[in-house]
Amino acid sequence: MNSRLRMTAACAIALAMLQTAAGAAGTECALNGNPACVSAINLGTISGDADSQGITRVGTGEAFFTVQVQETSGVHPRPLNARVTLQVPPQVDYDLIVRCTSCVSPVAFTAKQGFGATEVIDVTRADTFAENTFAIVIEIRHFAGSGCGQWKLTINGNTPTAKTPLSCA
C-alpha cells in the first residue's frame, strides 16, 4: 500500500472516530432549534368521538405539529376527546404544550414533568348539534439536558379525559 493511500485511510478513520465521539456526547443534534409555529407539520386527522387509529411521530429536538380532532359519530351528546402523550428520553427534559385552534391561541396546557418523564395532556370539546371538529397545535419544547435520544409523540382520539382537560370550546 502506498503512503498516500495509507494517509487517506488514517485520516478517514480518525474523522470517523471524532464523529463517533461527538455523537456519544450528543453534539450532533440541535435540541433547542426554536422552530416557527407557523411551519407546524400537519399530522392529519383522528376521530374524537369514535374508535380510530392513533397518530405517532418520533424525533429529536423541538417541533410543532397540528392535528384535526374530528367529529365522526352521530350519537349526541358525545364529547370529542384526544390524548397527547410525549415519551421523553432519560437524558433530556422536553415540555409538551398544546393549544386549541392555532399558534396564537391563548388557551394552552403545558406538561412539565422533568427528565425522561412521560408528558400527557388531555383535550376535549363538548358535543353540540353542530359540526364540532377542531384543530390542536402541539409544541415540543426543549427545557434542559443533552443527548440525542428520540422522543415519541402519540395522539389518540376518543379517550377518557383527566379531571381537568384542556377545553377547546
Side-chain angles (χ1 to χ4, degrees):
M1 183 184 278
N2 70 33
S3 62
R4 180 178 271 178
L5 185 57
R6 266 184 289 200
M7 187 180 233
T8 303
C11 288
I13 291 169
L15 179 60
M17 289 173 63
L18 282 172
Q19 288 173 334
T20 301
T27 58
E28 84 282 0
C29 63
L31 297 178
N32 193 4
N34 297 316
C37 181
V38 294
S39 62
I41 298 167
N42 184 346
L43 296 180
T45 302
I46 60 167
S47 174
D49 58 1
D51 290 339
S52 69
Q53 185 172 355
I55 298 169
T56 301
R57 183 78 168 218
V58 294
T60 58
E62 297 180 322
F64 278 96
F65 302 100
T66 60
V67 173
Q68 290 289 318
V69 181
Q70 185 175 39
E71 180 174 27
T72 56
S73 173
V75 177
H76 294 282
R78 183 179 236 171
L80 283 70
N81 297 325
R83 176 168 286 157
V84 182
T85 305
L86 180 66
Q87 294 174 327
V88 179
Q91 70 278 19
V92 184
D93 180 4
Y94 287 106
D95 292 337
L96 176 64
I97 301 162
V98 177
R99 292 177 177 84
C100 300
T101 311
S102 70
C103 294
V104 296
S105 173
V107 179
F109 266 34
T110 304
K112 298 179 178 183
Q113 298 300 317
F115 284 88
T118 298
E119 314 263 338
V120 178
I121 296 177
D122 289 326
V123 182
T124 191
R125 186 173 201 178
D127 190 9
T128 64
F129 288 100
E131 170 60 34
N132 294 297
T133 297
F134 66 102
I136 57 173
V137 177
I138 301 164
E139 179 183 358
I140 298 171
R141 184 182 296 171
H142 178 258
F143 181 75
S146 62
C148 288
Q150 290 189 324
W151 45 254
K152 180 180 179 183
L153 177 69
T154 306
I155 304 100
N156 291 301
N158 193 33
T159 57
T161 59
K163 271 186 161 178
T164 56
L166 170 60
S167 180
C168 293

